[in-house]
Amino acid sequence: MNAAPVAHGNVTRRSLTILGLDRRLVPLAGTLALFVAMIIFGAMSYKAFLAPQVFLNLVIDNAFLLIVAVGMTFVILTGGIDLSVGSLLALTTMVVAALIEKAHWNPWLVMLLVLAGGTAFGAVQGFLVHRYRLQPFIVTLAGMFVARGLCYLIDTESIPVSNPLLQQLAYARIPLGGRVAISSGAIIAIVTVAVATWLAHATRFGRTVYAIGGSAKSAALMGLPVGGTLVRVYAFSGFCAALAGLVMTVYMLSGYSLHAVGLELDAIAAVVIGGTLLTGGVGYVAGTVVGVLILGIIQTLVIFNGTLSSWWTRIVVGILLFVFCVSQKLIEKRASRASAPSSEKSK
Amino acid sequence: MATGDRRPVLEARGIVHAYSGKPALDGVDFCLRAGEVHALMGQNGAGKSTLIKVLTGVEPLQTGSIILDGAAIRPASTLDAQQSGISTVYQEVNLCPNLSVAENIFAGRQPRKPWARGGGIDWKQLNARALELLARLDVDIDVRRELGGYSVALQQMVAIARAIDISAKVLILDEPTSSLDSGEVAQLFQALRKLRDRGTAILFVTHFLDQVYEICERITVLRNGKLVGEYPASELDHAALVSAMVGRAVSNDFTPAARVAAESSQTPAVLSARGVQRQGGVSRVNLEIRPGEILGFAGLLGSGRTEVARLLCGLDSPDDGEIRLKGVAVTMHEPAAAIAQGVSFCPEERKTEGIVDQLSIRDNIVLSLQARLGLWRKLSPQHRREITDRLAKQLDVRAASLDMPIGELSGGNQQKCLIARALAIEPCLVVLDEPTRGIDVAGKQEIMSLLIKLAAEGMAVVFISAEVEELLRVSSRIVVMRDREQVGELPGGCSEDQVYALIAAPAASAPAGNAA
Amino acid sequence: MKSLFRHSLAWPAVTLILLLGLNAVMNPGFLALAWRDGHLYGSLVDILNRAAPLALVSAGMTLVIAARGLDISVGAVVAISAAVAAVIIGPTGNLGFAIAGALGVALLCGIWNGALVVGVGMQPIIATLILMVAGRGVAQLITGGQILTVYYAPYDFIGNGYLLGLPFAALLAGAVIVLLHVLLSVTPLGLFIRAIGINPVASRIAGVRAQPITLCLYAFGGLMAGLAGLIISSNVKSADANNAGQLLELDAILAVTLGGTALTGGKFSLAGTVLGALIIQTLTSTIYSLGVPPEVNLVFKAALIFLVMLLQSPDFRATFKRLPVRPPGAEKTS
């Protein structure tokens, strides 16, 4: 029998690469290129733009968005969506402010409580999605209403936070050498990103998330725990929203029902611009980080410009979403032409 | 090759299985031995897929016993079956195209680093083990690349690698070659032989007769849920295999004269196809269909009959070749275009491609006609009622009311409604894919009488059926398909033996197709 | 029980009647209607008037959802349409031009959505997300970031005027929905939409051209949002790019669902959707009259969504049907 290897790379039919990159890396490469281009544009236009503190402020001012977007990345990787995160974040700020300022509970206990609560909130949504096969969109939409409504039940006014521990956390700046410093919220965001990256790439849980996004049917037939993973993914997103709520309470030093209105859209935009496919299965936590930074840079550029109005941020984000979605679709079409019908998704 | 004395690995005894009371398997015995490739053959509805589902835990075992390595098992799920040593690879690769090759092999079983080193997945070991595993199948690819970028054949290999890494005892391949080209099939078979030589028991399900003889040592044939027999491949020739599958004697010697096409008719063709083909569908089809003619399509399941019909009716676009309607070359990228030209299609898959199940019977019947009339010419209620009443009567649709949802009808009546839909546009050509499947004897008779009547009225009819006897009763000519190719054409008055002989003919002696 | 389930309008109608009844019990003057200054006055008239924009948007959404689509950009389109109308009417005072401009832009928005879904092949939720995100920015761009106030009597009539003693907005919405209903009955459009929603594959094989139809449905959805934008901005005499039509897409989806249209496509009921819109508006009024903070409305809506979607889920109903005997393999996701 001829034992010579039969299938070298060049024999593989239409093996899909673009400019020598694995298909999974193409969207991420686009995101990075955009990020670099924006920095270059910023640096050429404004002298102060390249100051290290400008970049750190990107993280500091967007810490809560970063945390929420990381949770959203996991949900979108499974092919789902979580619209409840903005409201859940606001609810967390309200609960924290009310329990600490009005009921005078121990702040540490309150923090643990809201983290557990956010996780449970997400887990219930995940359970509904998995067990009753409801559309993630509609389940989390209802979750969004519930969380926002509960906010108003607590109080319709803003609750200022004067607790010394939270004040301390808010004003703490950890120097990084030179004349730059970073906030506690930013550190939490960075730790979240690190943990999420590890979860996504080095654990069976993370790989199952990717498998579900690739094909939920195949994942089930391969014996992967699809249901449990879905519940945990939404629970993780809920946890992230609660954590971001803590960060925002500290950042704003208040709890308010109208905090983070529309944040879910920003988070989704950041994830998509970060190169994660909305159909699931392809994307990186690192991409989401870049996506959040791009959103931050757009804002910074608009501010630096001075004459541009703030709504340009939304329009530019919309245009970026459009460009990324259309190019994702094109890549997808190329892929489905190139590979087998088996790669069809089961919806 | 003496395989009868090998050790049995997987045995099934007296399997009886019914779906909601309807028997699908009736006392089937089956034995798979170590180090053999064993073919499971049968017509549509013979019970092959039910048997596989029972063996692999997709369907719970109802009656009978499954013995693996001497111990009785009752697999409760595919995972359960896999863990006890029975792995299945399907035609549609059940892997995740977005994960790397290596990950697909080890998904859910990834090797992990010790906690001292972080406890994460050990990617190095993962990739090395994947490489090593694939090397055992003579496959050398970059295992870090995503699976979706590789061909179906390689994806099948990866699925096999995953299966044998879990357990190399029993491997079930359910129509793995349906979408592979001949080179890829050779590659797959080479890997299978290696596995077989190492002692894996392989069950191979296929529709391609030639492949059975190429790789299998023994053949088990099922028919109508019953075991016909188990034979060494060397003792069962093509004709004997086909006759075991269809349940009647098939002679091996056909007279070439019988295949001369009866194309003396002078009437211009309604539809003609020249060299029409589609990759992954069928190759080089040449046809002429005249008014008043019933053109039968014979062939085993998977022989390419449906694929031809889809090309003729605009469901798929051909890669090459020319289709002419009444002498004019046409391109039909949409079924709507074919319907506009008076070509209507009645699909084989009633539930998924035919009925719109929550709509009423009347709406289902007029759907094509209304689509052709367009948005601004709605059928008046009286007209709609007249048409549906007339067609329902003509086809003898039995329903409490024609306003009830079509989904509540029996399969036979749904089929009649679909034929009614096809006829409602008053087509010049109607293509019926397995219109008699799953219908009782009386219903079949009605449908066939109807076809003859339609043809007598001058309509051209294409009739696709697995039942050769039915084809012979109504067809003016019969086109025979095998392994996605048109292998010949017989005149209407030929015998069943002639058709079966052509269906079963081994590739080497197959005629090069229709002379027309 | 079963026969109640049967008629698709039974549930929304019962819900609406119960809500109205609750109001009548708690507020004896609720059902009263009075004739003053040649107008009809009363809580019911008020509800009709306020429900008009939602009913219009929901009617468009009904058809989009029936054909297996979704449009989450309607709130943003409302803002854009309001902004266009306000910008045109301010300097020119030309009512016809303003209306045509607003509706034209809204129609373009709908066509854009439809082109992304049909032409590019995006999932509907993603395609319309783009306009949802960018739309409010565009609206602000048009208004220059200001809340434009419109004091122009003829324009004011759209949202606040009375015709034949009834609120013009309600009459307008009613007329449009009746026209739509007529269109659906004199053309086979309803049949095609249902067929596409129930079984797209079979519909294609039967010769239904789904693509142009779907595109038109999104365009129509945009147009309805544009009309709603005119009514809303006229009603409050201003165009607020940030808040006009805020969360309207969610209310519209809720109204459609409450009306018995399946989110998975196919079966739809225009009348049910109108009832759904009325339920939502009545709920809002009820909460106002109860003295509960109006924002709590959201929790009630959420409860309604959960209830409706669980009742629509076959898996949920199955749990209750065969609670005693559930075969071990039955929970497999396949």
Side-chain angles (χ1 to χ4, degrees):
Chain A
M1 188 183 291
N2 175 18
V6 278
H8 279 291
N10 57 354
V11 183
T12 65
R13 186 169 61 192
R14 289 156 295 188
S15 163
L16 207 107
T17 55
I18 294 167
L19 300 172
L21 277 172
D22 193 307
R23 180 167 76 97
R24 293 170 294 178
L25 287 169
V26 173
L28 185 60
T31 308
L32 270 176
L34 178 69
F35 183 59
V36 172
M38 286 178 119
I39 290 177
I40 292 172
F41 173 77
M44 277 165 46
S45 311
Y46 313 104
K47 269 194 193 138
F49 195 81
L50 275 184
Q53 193 62 47
V54 171
F55 285 91
L56 279 180
N57 284 346
L58 281 183
V59 182
I60 293 170
D61 296 336
N62 293 295
F64 52 89
L65 176 60
L66 190 52
I67 297 169
V68 166
V70 163
M72 184 74 82
T73 309
F74 279 73
V75 176
I76 292 183
L77 277 175
T78 64
I81 203 152
D82 188 350
L83 297 178
S84 70
V85 287
S87 307
L88 190 52
L89 190 159
L91 180 59
T92 309
T93 68
M94 285 303 279
V95 171
V96 170
L99 287 183
I100 293 180
E101 295 300 324
K102 294 188 172 168
H104 303 290
W105 287 28
N106 179 322
W108 294 110
L109 176 69
V110 170
M111 289 188 200
L112 276 180
L113 207 69
V114 291
L115 287 180
T119 311
F121 191 95
V124 169
Q125 297 188 115
F127 175 78
L128 289 172
V129 168
H130 156 63
R131 179 63 186 80
Y132 298 120
R133 273 185 254 171
L134 302 178
Q135 297 178 28
F137 160 73
I138 195 86
V139 171
T140 56
L141 172 67
M144 169 185 182
F145 280 7
V146 168
R148 195 66 78 178
L150 290 177
C151 284
Y152 296 125
L153 273 182
I154 296 173
D155 204 330
T156 49
E157 300 297 315
S158 171
I159 307 173
V161 172
S162 55
N163 178 284
L165 174 69
L166 295 191
Q167 293 266 356
Q168 219 178 337
L169 281 172
Y171 296 117
R173 283 290 181 280
I174 295 94
L176 294 179
R179 274 173 300 157
V180 296
I182 197 167
S183 71
S184 57
I187 289 178
I188 292 177
I190 290 166
V191 171
T192 309
V193 166
V195 171
T197 310
W198 181 78
L199 270 180
H201 301 293
T203 65
R204 287 184 183 172
F205 162 74
R207 300 324 292 169
T208 304
V209 168
Y210 280 85
I212 293 172
S215 165
K217 189 177 157 218
S218 294
L221 279 171
M222 284 201 274
L224 302 179
V226 172
T229 305
L230 274 180
V231 173
R232 279 188 281 168
V233 161
Y234 284 88
F236 180 66
S237 179
F239 171 83
C240 284
L243 187 62
L246 286 178
V247 169
M248 190 179 242
T249 315
V250 168
Y251 182 77
M252 301 280 202
L253 281 175
S254 70
Y256 189 27
S257 333
L258 290 179
H259 274 332
V261 169
L263 185 79
E264 56 281 344
L265 292 186
D266 287 340
I268 294 168
V271 173
V272 173
I273 293 172
T276 299
L277 296 191
L278 273 164
T279 43
V282 178
Y284 297 92
V285 173
T288 297
V289 175
V290 182
V292 170
L293 293 180
I294 287 178
L295 292 192
I297 286 199
I298 294 172
Q299 247 163 2
T300 312
L301 282 175
V302 166
I303 293 168
F304 266 72
N305 178 286
T307 59
L308 278 179
S309 312
S310 60
W311 53 82
W312 278 105
T313 315
R314 299 205 71 139
I315 297 178
V316 173
V317 171
I319 292 171
L320 285 183
L321 259 183
F322 169 71
V323 170
F324 272 78
C325 287
V326 169
S327 50
Q328 282 185 2
K329 206 68 214 174
L330 293 180
I331 293 172
E332 218 173 278
K333 270 186 187 162
R334 264 188 74 166
S336 64
R337 259 205 305 271
S339 71
S342 60
S343 61
E344 251 170 48
K345 311 265 297 194
S346 56
K347 272 283 150 184
Chain B
M1 212 186 305
T3 57
D5 51 348
R6 289 224 187 102
R7 176 178 62 91
V9 178
L10 178 67
E11 273 184 278
R13 289 192 201 132
I15 305 283
V16 178
H17 200 88
Y19 293 107
S20 51
K22 281 187 193 162
L25 286 177
D26 187 7
V28 170
D29 296 324
F30 171 76
C31 177
L32 188 63
R33 295 174 179 83
E36 73 166 355
V37 182
H38 191 138
L40 182 61
M41 303 292 290
Q43 288 267 70
N44 212 338
K48 284 175 304 188
S49 48
T50 310
L51 179 58
I52 289 177
K53 281 179 184 164
V54 171
L55 290 177
T56 55
V58 177
E59 286 285 331
L61 181 63
Q62 291 173 351
T63 315
S65 56
I66 303 173
I67 296 141
L68 182 70
D69 273 342
I73 55 164
R74 290 184 83 87
S77 66
T78 44
L79 190 62
D80 196 11
Q82 234 170 51
Q83 276 158 356
S84 46
I86 305 172
S87 294
T88 320
V89 174
Y90 298 92
Q91 169 191 355
E92 300 209 344
V93 185
N94 279 306
L95 296 176
C96 295
N98 59 321
L99 299 185
S100 77
V101 170
E103 274 203 273
N104 266 297
I105 297 177
F106 293 105
R109 302 174 299 116
Q110 294 97 334
R112 283 187 282 210
K113 292 184 217 164
W115 277 105
R117 286 172 49 220
I121 293 170
D122 189 342
W123 289 98
K124 242 185 205 162
Q125 199 196 338
L126 180 88
N127 290 331
R129 276 177 56 189
L131 211 56
E132 181 195 344
L133 203 54
L134 285 170
R136 277 164 57 186
L137 300 172
D138 281 343
V139 175
D140 178 18
I141 53 177
D142 185 349
V143 294
R144 290 165 305 175
R145 277 202 186 284
E146 65 168 353
L147 181 78
Y150 289 108
S151 68
V152 185
L154 279 169
Q155 294 188 24
Q156 300 263 17
M157 298 286 202
V158 174
I160 292 171
R162 177 180 169 87
I164 61 169
D165 185 59
I166 295 171
S167 161
K169 258 189 244 170
V170 175
L171 181 61
I172 298 178
L173 298 164
D174 191 0
E175 293 186 41
T177 55
S178 299
S179 43
L180 305 190
D181 64 33
S182 55
E184 292 168 336
V185 170
Q187 190 183 338
L188 176 72
F189 283 2
Q190 194 183 335
L192 291 187
R193 289 191 190 100
K194 283 195 99 172
L195 284 179
R196 177 197 64 193
D197 294 345
R198 291 206 198 93
T200 302
I202 299 171
L203 176 59
F204 185 67
V205 182
T206 185
H207 294 308
F208 298 104
L209 299 187
D210 295 338
Q211 290 176 4
V212 170
Y213 289 97
E214 197 181 331
I215 185 121
C216 299
E217 288 115 61
R218 285 192 308 143
I219 303 170
T220 291
V221 181
L222 299 183
R223 189 174 65 235
N224 296 331
K226 291 200 174 70
L227 177 71
V228 177
E230 186 197 283
Y231 315 90
S234 50
E235 292 167 22
L236 189 75
D237 63 12
H238 270 77
L241 172 57
V242 173
S243 68
M245 285 164 65
V246 301
R248 62 185 306 287
V250 172
S251 94
N252 207 3
D253 46 40
F254 53 88
T255 42
R259 286 183 291 107
V260 175
E263 287 190 34
S264 50
S265 164
Q266 290 304 307
T267 33
V270 174
L271 181 144
S272 64
R274 291 256 171 278
V276 169
Q277 63 178 345
R278 179 181 167 86
Q279 198 181 2
V282 285
S283 53
R284 303 232 156 263
V285 174
N286 295 301
L287 291 173
E288 290 219 325
I289 306 160
R290 293 190 171 72
E293 198 177 42
I294 299 178
L295 184 65
F297 266 77
L300 296 175
L301 192 70
S303 58
R305 298 167 309 185
T306 298
E307 286 76 2
V308 173
R310 291 178 67 92
L311 288 173
L312 297 183
C313 299
L315 273 70
D316 295 326
S317 324
D319 296 334
D320 196 12
E322 185 189 57
I323 295 177
R324 282 172 177 273
L325 273 176
K326 294 173 191 148
V328 184
V330 287
T331 47
M332 299 179 293
H333 294 300
E334 275 287 311
I339 287 169
Q341 304 268 8
V343 176
S344 58
F345 178 57
C346 197
E348 177 183 11
E349 300 295 335
R350 265 199 305 268
K351 283 249 180 288
T352 54
E353 301 188 339
I355 62 167
V356 182
D357 63 356
Q358 292 148 41
L359 288 186
S360 73
I361 298 171
R362 287 191 205 276
D363 282 340
N364 266 283
I365 291 178
V366 298
L367 189 57
S368 282
L369 176 61
Q370 186 61 71
R372 184 163 87 160
L373 287 175
L375 215 45
W376 306 114
R377 283 192 291 162
K378 188 181 181 182
L379 290 167
S380 70
Q382 304 95 296
H383 197 180
R384 172 171 170 272
R385 181 173 309 251
E386 275 166 29
I387 292 173
T388 47
D389 281 345
R390 174 171 55 79
L391 285 167
K393 192 167 168 227
Q394 188 185 353
L395 288 152
D396 195 20
V397 174
R398 278 164 224 153
S401 150
L402 292 185
D403 294 308
M404 68 194 248
I406 196 171
E408 292 175 13
L409 288 183
S410 69
N413 277 310
Q414 286 179 358
Q415 185 64 57
K416 289 178 190 167
C417 293
L418 291 181
I419 297 177
R421 179 196 288 172
L423 296 182
I425 67 159
E426 294 174 356
C428 56
L429 169 66
V430 55
V431 178
L432 303 157
D433 194 358
E434 294 278 10
T436 54
R437 202 173 104 196
I439 294 180
D440 61 37
V441 181
K444 286 181 180 185
Q445 191 52 53
E446 285 168 23
I447 287 176
M448 283 187 284
S449 316
L450 177 78
L451 296 187
I452 292 172
K453 191 163 147 258
L454 291 174
E457 287 164 7
M459 198 181 290
V461 178
V462 169
F463 177 42
I464 300 173
S465 175
E467 312 265 337
V468 172
E469 185 253 334
E470 284 180 10
L471 287 171
L472 286 170
R473 263 201 281 163
V474 299
S475 304
S476 335
R477 288 180 290 138
I478 295 172
V479 170
V480 181
M481 305 285 301
R482 187 192 336 115
D483 295 357
R484 302 281 162 86
E485 274 176 41
Q486 186 182 7
V487 291
E489 191 175 304
L490 296 161
C494 67
S495 71
E496 278 186 64
D497 289 349
Q498 288 173 316
V499 178
Y500 280 118
L502 207 49
I503 289 176
S509 62
N514 185 346
Chain C
M1 187 76 178
K2 260 241 161 99
S3 56
L4 250 183
F5 259 118
R6 275 289 145 75
H7 199 277
S8 57
L9 291 183
W11 278 103
V14 167
T15 314
L16 184 60
I17 290 169
L18 282 179
L19 263 179
L20 292 174
L22 180 73
N23 274 293
V25 169
M26 295 195 316
N27 173 8
F30 181 78
L31 296 177
L33 292 172
W35 188 269
R36 257 186 283 151
D37 310 334
H39 304 161
L40 203 56
Y41 277 98
S43 305
L44 292 178
V45 178
D46 204 43
I47 287 175
L48 269 185
N49 195 21
R50 287 179 187 279
L54 177 60
L56 284 172
V57 171
S58 307
M61 185 77 84
T62 305
L63 300 186
V64 171
I65 288 180
R68 288 205 177 182
L70 192 66
D71 184 354
I72 58 172
S73 71
V74 285
V77 176
V78 162
I80 293 177
S81 146
V84 171
V87 161
I88 294 176
I89 214 155
T92 66
N94 187 333
L95 185 66
F97 192 42
I99 291 175
L103 293 184
V105 171
L107 185 66
L108 280 181
C109 289
I111 292 174
W112 162 267
N113 282 333
L116 288 186
V117 172
V118 172
V120 185
M122 285 187 196
Q123 279 170 265
I125 180 172
I126 296 164
T128 53
L129 174 74
I130 293 170
L131 193 55
M132 185 190 187
V133 169
R136 290 200 182 274
V138 172
Q140 281 179 313
L141 181 69
I142 295 169
T143 61
Q146 314 286 315
I147 296 179
L148 295 181
T149 46
V150 186
Y151 295 113
Y152 183 65
Y155 189 69
D156 196 42
F157 183 75
I158 302 175
N160 296 311
Y162 284 81
L163 191 67
L164 306 170
L166 286 169
F168 178 70
L171 285 177
L172 179 66
V176 169
I177 290 167
V178 166
L179 264 180
L180 180 61
H181 178 77
V182 169
L183 182 76
L184 285 171
S185 32
V186 300
T187 71
L189 187 61
L191 173 66
F192 293 161
I193 294 173
R194 266 190 283 268
I196 295 167
I198 295 169
N199 189 341
V201 178
S203 306
R204 174 174 175 261
I205 291 177
V208 178
R209 292 179 197 266
Q211 295 203 337
I213 293 176
T214 309
L215 182 70
C216 289
L217 296 182
Y218 280 95
F220 179 73
L223 192 65
M224 288 301 101
L227 204 51
L230 285 177
I231 295 176
I232 291 172
S233 64
S234 156
N235 188 266
V236 298
K237 299 186 177 58
S238 68
D240 179 353
N242 257 330
N243 294 314
Q246 189 77 39
L247 291 186
L248 189 66
E249 53 281 343
L250 307 181
D251 279 347
I253 293 168
L254 180 55
V256 170
T257 324
L258 283 175
T261 297
L263 276 174
T264 43
K267 218 181 79 172
F268 72 90
S269 161
L270 212 51
T273 298
V274 173
L275 286 179
L278 289 174
I279 290 173
I280 293 174
Q281 192 52 50
T282 312
L283 190 66
T284 311
S285 307
T286 312
I287 285 166
Y288 271 106
S289 64
L290 283 177
V292 181
E295 294 84 357
V296 179
N297 207 343
L298 287 176
V299 181
F300 283 95
K301 285 183 192 167
L304 269 178
I305 297 184
F306 275 124
L307 194 70
V308 172
M309 73 185 169
L310 282 177
L311 284 176
Q312 280 190 358
S313 156
D315 294 74
F316 182 76
R317 278 187 277 182
T319 321
F320 287 91
K321 267 186 199 146
R322 12 164 223 169
L323 208 51
V325 271
R326 193 173 174 80
E331 296 184 31
K332 271 261 120 64
T333 35
S334 58

